[in-house]
Amino acid sequence: MEKTSSLVHFCFISCLVFFIFAASWYHPSNSSSPDNSLQTTWRTLKNRIFSNSVLETRVQESVDHAAETPQHPLDPLTAPEINSVRTILSSYEPFASTFPIIHSLTLDEPDKSEVLRWRKGDRFPPRKASVLAMLNGESHVLTVDLDSSHVTSHAINPRSGYPMLSVEDILAASKVPFSNTEFNKSIAARGISLSELICLTPSAGWFGPNEEGKRIIKVMCFYSEGTPNFYMRPIEGLVMTVDLDTLELLKFSDTGRGIPIPKSANTDYRYNAHEKEPEMEPINPISMEQPKGPSFRVEDGHMVKWANWVFHLKADKRAGLVISRAMVRDSENGELRNVMYKGFSSELFVPYMDLEESWYFKSFMDAGEFGLGMSALPLVPLNDCPRYSYYMDGVFAASNGKPYVQHNMICLFERYAGDISWRHSESQLLDFQIRETRPKVTLVARMIATVGNYDYIFDWEFQTDGLIRIKVGLSGMLMVKGSPYHSLYQVPNQDVMSGPLISENVIGVVHDHFITFHLDMDIDGLNNSFVDVKLVKEHSLPGESPRKSYLKAKRKIAKTEKDAQIKLKLYDPSEFHMINPSRRSRLGNPTGYKIVPGGTAASLLDHDDPPQLRSSFSNNQVTPLSFLCLDSKFLHTLLSHFVEQIWVTLYNKSEQWAGGLLAYQSRGDDTLAVWSERDRPIENEDIVLWYTLGFHHIPCQEDFPLMPVVTSGFELKPVNFFESNPILRVAPAFEKDLPVCRPGASA
C-alpha cells in the first residue's frame, strides 16, 4: 500500500516537473465540439496600453485564438488550421486505423518568391502544414495542403534520426524504472523515499550501431527532499536506458552506491525561502517610464513597426522565436529596404565532458530534441520583461494533433539603459563649445527557453542606426555530479575530476554551449555575396617612411561554400561582409552588412567523436599551435579568442536546421557541415549566413545553487548600406518630455 501511494505521489510530482520542463504544456480539448471548447480553452490575455499615465498598470485585453485568421503568408498556423490538419490526417488512408503521434505540426512556409511578391490585400499563397509524426517506430515527414485538404507529400524515415520528443515520451519513460525490481532495491538501499524522488529523461545521443533501429532515452533521478532545487541532489551513478516505443528497460546501471546524495541546505533559490538579507546596500526600485506609452506597435498580430524598422515576429515550437522580413527605412529617401528574410536559432548543442557510464551520453541538441519554443514558460512581468512590454503567445499542436497555447512566451519592449547612440564635444580650448549627444533607445524581442535545468535568454535587439544585436544569456541550474568529497583537501588526484567542486559533494562538470543561428540575409534583394575583408600586414620599402609596417584591407569574394568556411583567429583578423554587388552607394561601394563576432568559443572535440559527428555545424576548429614560453594567463586569453564559427550556404528552403530535420539520435548525415561540403556556387546568389555562438563553461562556486546570467552575442551591422549616418538628425532627450521621478516629486 505504501509503495502504491509513493508511486502515485511520484507520478504527480513527475507530471508537475515535466510540465515545467517542457514549458506549460497544452490544454487540448476532450470535447466532441472543439470549436466550442476553443472559445474558453484557447482564450488568452495580451497587453494593450490604454493610458498615458505613468501610474497606470497594464490593462489586459482578452484575445480569442479560436477566432484568429492568418494576416500574412508567414503567420503561424492558427488553432482552426491545426484542427483542420488533424482532420485531414485522420481521414488519410495510411493513418485511417491508427492516428500517429504528432511531434511537430507547423506552417510549411510558401516559397520565398511568393512571400516577396505578396502585398497586404493580395490573395494568400496556399496554406500548407509541415508534419513530423511517429507511427510503428517509423518517422513520417508529411506536407498537408489546407486549401485542397490533401496530403501532398509523405516520406518515411527519409534520413537517420527521429523527431523531437513529445510530452508523452518523457512522461512514459520516466515511470518505467518504478516497476523494475533492481531500481527499487537500489533506491531502498540508499534510504530514499520514493515520494521524494524525481526522475528525468535526458536524451541518449547516438553512439554507434548498437543504438540503431530503436528509439531510446536515458532516465536519471534526483532527490527533492527539503528543496525545490532537486538538480543539486543527484542520485549519482544510477542511470537506465529505456526503449521509447516499447517502454522496455533495456539497461540498468548503478555505479554510485558509495556516493552520498548532496544535502539540501542552501539550495533553495526562491525569494521567500531566505530569511537573511544579503550583505549589501539595498537597491531602490528602478524602471524605465514611458509617459506616452511605447513607440512600437504590433499590427495584425505579428507585424512589428518601430522607428525605422518593420519585421514579422512569431513563435516557433522548435526555434522559439523567429524574425522574418526585417526591413529598415532609409532616413534619406524613406525607402523601406530589405535586410534579413529570416533569422532564428537553428540548434543548441551542449556536450558534457565526463566519460563515465552515467555521463558520456550527455551531449544535448536542445532545439532538435526538446524544442526551444516547447520549453518556453510564460515570462515574468517586471522581471523578465519591463513595463509596457507586449506579450505574444505561441499556438502549437499537441501529440494528438489538437492545438494548445504557450502563453506569453515572447515579449517585445523598448530598452534604455543610459547608453549613448552618438556624441561629440568640442574642447574649451577653442573659441566655441559644442556638446551634442543622443540617448540610445532600442527595441528588444525576447524569448526564454527553460530546457530542464538551464534557462536560455534569447534577445533580438534592433537599433535605429540599422544594427541588429543578437544575444544569448545562460542561467538556471548546473547539471552536477555527486562526489564523495566535501572539499578538495580530501581529493587524492584532482586531475581525474571532470570539473571543479562547487559545493560539498557536488561537482560542476565542464561543458560547452553552442548556439547556431540561421541568418538568411537579403541585403537590398536576393542576390548577395560573401566577402572576407582581411587585414594584412604590409612592410614599407626602404626609405619610404619612418614606419616599418602597416595594415591593409584586402577583399576576397567567396566563390563557393567551402570558400566561406571561416576560421576566426586572433592574429588573422578579418571582417565578414554580406553585400549586394548590384546595389551601390553614391561612392560606388556595394551595400552590405557585416557580422561582428562577440566573445565566443569553438568545439575542441575530435571530429570523429559521436557527439561531434551529430553537431558538425560547430566543427570549424582552429589549427592547434605550439605555445612555447607563454604566460599561462596570456595563453588562456589567447585560446579563448580562437574560433571558427561562420558558414555560408546556398539558400535551400529545406536546409534550416543545422543539426538536421530529424535530430534525435541522428548520425550526422543531414547537417550544416554536410550541406556546405556540396560546395555550391554562392557568389551573387541567394545565400544564407550561419553563425555559431559558443560558451566554454568551467563551473565555479558562484554558479551554486543557481547561476548568475552570463551573456554573449554578435551583431549584424550596416556597412555602406546608408549614404551617411542614418540617425544624425534624430532629436535629443529634453527634460520637459519626461516625468519627474525623484523621491517626493509629483509627476
Side-chain angles (χ1 to χ4, degrees):
M1 182 71 180
E2 181 181 349
K3 182 176 178 181
T4 303
S5 176
S6 297
L7 185 56
V8 170
H9 190 180
F10 156 75
C11 290
F12 172 77
I13 293 176
S14 178
C15 289
L16 181 62
V17 168
F18 283 108
F19 275 27
I20 295 173
F21 176 78
S24 65
W25 296 112
Y26 57 89
H27 307 284
S29 168
N30 292 321
S31 168
S32 59
S33 178
D35 289 339
N36 292 333
S37 65
L38 275 172
Q39 297 298 325
T40 54
T41 304
W42 284 284
R43 187 174 296 275
T44 189
L45 299 179
K46 293 275 187 75
N47 292 325
R48 298 293 187 270
I49 311 303
F50 294 115
S51 173
N52 289 334
S53 170
V54 297
L55 299 178
E56 288 286 341
T57 56
R58 286 194 310 269
V59 178
Q60 307 283 344
E61 178 184 286
S62 179
V63 174
D64 185 0
H65 285 294
E68 285 185 323
T69 56
Q71 303 296 313
H72 188 280
L74 296 178
D75 282 359
L77 294 176
T78 63
E81 287 178 320
I82 292 172
N83 277 323
S84 295
V85 173
R86 186 180 189 277
T87 300
I88 295 167
L89 291 177
S90 298
S91 59
Y92 181 50
E93 185 176 351
F95 303 149
S97 58
T98 305
F99 192 79
I101 302 298
I102 303 298
H103 290 256
S104 175
L105 196 165
T106 60
L107 176 72
D108 180 33
E109 295 184 355
D111 290 340
K112 185 189 281 193
S113 59
E114 294 181 289
V115 176
L116 294 175
R117 283 196 304 266
W118 184 85
R119 296 294 180 269
K120 189 171 182 178
D122 291 351
R123 183 177 179 180
F124 270 24
R127 295 282 284 179
K128 299 179 181 179
S130 177
V131 181
L132 301 181
M134 290 291 301
L135 183 63
N136 300 325
E138 295 183 313
S139 301
H140 294 255
V141 181
L142 307 101
T143 303
V144 178
D145 190 314
L146 284 159
D147 293 344
S148 67
S149 298
H150 283 90
V151 173
T152 56
S153 69
H154 183 182
I156 301 175
N157 299 330
R159 49 186 69 91
S160 73
Y162 301 100
M164 64 183 176
L165 295 168
S166 69
V167 186
E168 285 74 14
D169 286 332
I170 294 170
L171 291 176
S174 68
K175 297 174 187 177
V176 169
F178 287 81
S179 59
N180 180 267
T181 303
E182 283 186 283
F183 174 80
N184 284 286
K185 285 182 179 178
S186 177
I187 296 301
R190 287 177 164 90
I192 300 171
S193 169
L194 281 173
S195 64
E196 303 287 355
L197 199 64
I198 291 177
C199 294
L200 303 182
T201 50
S203 55
W206 173 81
F207 292 90
N210 292 337
E211 297 182 349
E212 293 177 10
K214 60 184 66 174
R215 208 165 52 107
I216 61 174
I217 200 166
K218 303 290 185 177
V219 180
M220 54 188 290
C221 301
F222 302 83
Y223 198 37
S224 66
E225 183 269 333
T227 180
N229 191 355
F230 56 87
Y231 289 107
M232 295 301 108
R233 307 199 70 193
I235 315 296
E236 191 55 53
L238 181 64
V239 60
M240 287 73 61
T241 305
V242 172
D243 187 315
L244 278 167
D245 296 313
T246 65
L247 296 181
E248 176 188 1
L249 199 156
L250 301 175
K251 185 176 181 181
F252 178 87
S253 177
D254 187 5
T255 59
R257 288 283 185 95
I259 300 176
I261 299 172
K263 294 181 179 179
S264 62
N266 301 317
T267 61
D268 196 335
Y269 50 89
R270 296 172 299 176
Y271 179 73
N272 291 333
H274 300 287
E275 297 180 359
K276 182 184 176 182
E277 295 291 331
E279 294 293 336
M280 65 171 65
E281 292 290 330
I283 298 174
N284 292 329
I286 186 171
S287 176
M288 185 188 84
E289 301 300 338
Q290 296 180 284
K292 296 182 179 180
S295 303
F296 66 88
R297 63 186 186 275
V298 180
E299 296 180 352
D300 298 328
H302 296 279
M303 289 302 302
V304 179
K305 296 184 177 181
W306 174 78
N308 49 350
W309 281 101
V310 177
F311 59 88
H312 187 275
L313 173 65
K314 68 179 175 183
D316 182 84
K317 192 173 185 179
R318 182 166 177 170
L321 180 157
V322 178
I323 303 286
S324 300
R325 300 291 285 121
M327 297 173 282
V328 66
R329 194 172 301 280
D330 195 304
S331 61
E332 295 299 324
N333 57 26
E335 178 189 0
L336 201 57
R337 299 170 63 184
N338 291 310
V339 174
M340 183 175 67
Y341 182 76
K342 189 176 182 181
F344 60 92
S345 48
S346 178
E347 191 52 83
L348 204 168
F349 172 50
V350 189
Y352 284 80
M353 308 302 164
D354 193 299
L355 303 180
E356 291 190 0
E357 177 70 20
S358 58
W359 277 87
Y360 76 89
F361 58 87
K362 293 177 182 176
S363 52
F364 307 109
M365 297 176 72
D366 286 337
E369 293 177 339
F370 299 103
L372 300 179
M374 194 166 72
S375 304
L377 288 163
L379 296 161
V380 181
L382 298 184
N383 293 275
D384 282 332
C385 310
R387 279 184 179 165
Y388 293 120
S389 293
Y390 175 96
Y391 291 88
M392 184 178 291
D393 299 334
V395 179
F396 303 144
S399 58
N400 61 4
K402 294 182 179 181
Y404 70 94
V405 176
Q406 209 83 312
H407 294 285
N408 293 353
M409 63 170 284
I410 294 173
C411 70
L412 193 67
F413 61 90
E414 287 168 291
R415 170 189 282 154
Y416 172 63
D419 293 328
I420 297 169
S421 189
W422 66 261
R423 80 173 315 279
H424 182 65
S425 295
E426 283 296 346
S427 169
Q428 295 181 4
L429 297 176
L430 302 176
D431 59 357
F432 61 93
Q433 294 185 32
I434 296 176
R435 285 198 296 274
E436 288 282 337
T437 184
R438 302 291 186 271
K440 178 182 287 188
V441 179
T442 61
L443 181 70
V444 179
R446 172 173 293 170
M447 188 277 304
I448 302 177
T450 301
V451 190
N453 54 304
Y454 256 103
D455 291 60
Y456 294 97
I457 306 160
F458 292 88
D459 280 3
W460 287 73
E461 185 172 11
F462 295 82
Q463 296 186 180
T464 52
D465 60 1
L467 182 142
I468 305 173
R469 179 179 290 113
I470 298 98
K471 297 193 299 184
V472 180
L474 277 58
S475 189
M477 269 74 71
L478 293 169
M479 182 172 287
V480 300
K481 181 177 183 178
S483 169
Y485 304 114
H486 278 74
S487 74
L488 288 179
Y489 300 113
Q490 300 174 318
V491 181
N493 183 6
Q494 296 182 25
D495 289 341
V496 301
M497 296 174 64
S498 57
L501 204 64
I502 61 169
S503 187
E504 290 79 4
N505 304 111
V506 178
I507 290 174
V509 178
V510 173
H511 58 283
D512 290 336
H513 304 263
F514 299 105
I515 306 99
T516 295
F517 287 86
H518 173 285
L519 305 164
D520 184 2
M521 306 295 290
D522 284 353
I523 310 299
D524 278 327
L526 292 178
N527 286 20
N528 287 185
S529 294
F530 180 74
V531 185
D532 183 351
V533 184
K534 194 176 295 294
L535 284 171
V536 179
K537 182 169 69 174
E538 301 277 354
H539 293 90
S540 59
L541 298 174
E544 182 181 13
S545 171
R547 290 283 299 275
K548 301 297 183 184
S549 60
Y550 62 102
L551 299 181
K552 198 167 189 176
K554 295 189 176 181
R555 292 166 170 79
K556 180 184 177 183
I557 297 177
K559 303 293 185 183
T560 67
E561 289 171 314
K562 286 186 178 180
D563 289 342
Q565 295 177 5
I566 298 299
K567 298 178 180 179
L568 302 182
K569 300 179 184 178
L570 183 62
Y571 281 100
D572 188 13
S574 290
E575 285 191 358
F576 305 101
H577 296 189
M578 294 283 284
I579 66 167
N580 187 325
S582 61
R583 175 80 179 248
R584 301 274 174 166
S585 72
R586 72 181 192 281
L587 302 178
N589 292 310
T591 64
Y593 264 67
K594 68 178 178 180
I595 187 163
V596 183
T600 185
S603 178
L604 303 176
L605 297 178
D606 289 342
H607 285 200
D608 59 354
D609 196 355
Q612 196 62 37
L613 287 172
R614 301 178 65 228
S615 60
S616 51
F617 49 84
S618 63
N619 259 356
N620 287 339
Q621 308 303 349
V622 67
T623 303
L625 302 177
S626 176
F627 294 98
L628 300 178
C629 305
L630 287 181
D631 175 79
S632 60
K633 183 177 180 181
F634 175 72
L635 173 58
H636 173 78
T637 303
L638 189 61
L639 283 173
S640 69
H641 284 80
F642 278 85
V643 62
E644 180 184 1
Q645 304 287 6
I646 296 176
W647 310 73
V648 179
T649 60
L650 190 68
Y651 172 79
N652 185 320
K653 182 184 170 184
S654 67
E655 296 175 359
Q656 296 197 67
W657 307 109
L661 177 66
L662 305 175
Y664 196 85
Q665 284 182 249
S666 61
R667 301 197 298 268
D669 56 349
D670 178 36
T671 68
L672 171 58
V674 172
W675 311 332
S676 180
E677 282 299 308
R678 296 169 183 165
D679 208 22
R680 294 163 290 191
I682 59 171
E683 184 180 8
N684 201 16
E685 297 281 356
D686 188 1
I687 54 180
V688 177
L689 174 68
W690 305 79
Y691 181 79
T692 299
L693 184 65
F695 299 79
H696 292 311
H697 193 169
I698 303 174
C700 59
Q701 290 177 203
E702 288 80 1
D703 293 332
F704 178 89
L706 184 145
M707 298 175 292
V709 173
V710 58
T711 302
S712 190
F714 62 97
E715 297 174 348
L716 301 170
K717 186 179 188 300
V719 175
N720 302 316
F721 187 84
F722 300 106
E723 294 290 355
S724 61
N725 182 347
I727 53 173
L728 185 67
R729 300 190 299 274
V730 298
F734 296 102
E735 191 74 27
K736 64 181 178 64
D737 295 327
L738 302 174
V740 179
C741 294
R742 62 178 180 270
S746 58

